[in-house]
């Protein structure tokens, strides 16, 4: 259960971009910055599109890997009958 909560929290950081952008722009000293806003700021404010793409792919790979691991640990490899 703890693993699932951590995974859901990580996924929620991808979905928090709009609130951070509209309300705080990353907050004081990056205190409210989430992964999606970091990708946006790196790509469009700094102009480092390759680095931003790398951050996005790393976040995706992390979520995908944790999801796959959770699926395997929960017995998701069994056949559907």
């Amino acid at each position: 259960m703890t693993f699932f909560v951590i995974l859901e929290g990580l996924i929620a950081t991808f979905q928090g971009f709009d609130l951070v952008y509209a309300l705080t722009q990353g907050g004081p000293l990056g205190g409210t910055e989430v992964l999606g806003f970091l990708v946006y700021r790196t790509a469009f404010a700094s102009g480092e599109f390759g680095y931003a793409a790398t951050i996005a792919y790393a976040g995706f790979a992390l979520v995908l890997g944790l999801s796959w691991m959770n699926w395997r640990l929960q017995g998701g490899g069994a056949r559907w009958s």
Side-chain angles (χ1 to χ4, degrees), residues 22-69:
L23 298 175
T24 65
Q25 297 286 318
L29 300 175
T32 60
E33 192 170 273
V34 294
L35 190 59
F37 189 74
L38 176 64
V39 170
Y40 170 78
R41 188 174 48 88
T42 302
F44 298 110
S46 301
E48 299 178 17
F49 295 102
Y51 185 53
T54 303
I55 295 170
Y57 278 122
F60 173 73
L62 180 65
V63 169
L64 182 67
L66 289 174
S67 297
W68 179 81
M69 190 169 64

Side-chain angles (χ1 to χ4, degrees), residues 71 75-81:
W71 180 68
R79 296 209 179 259
W80 295 68
S81 298

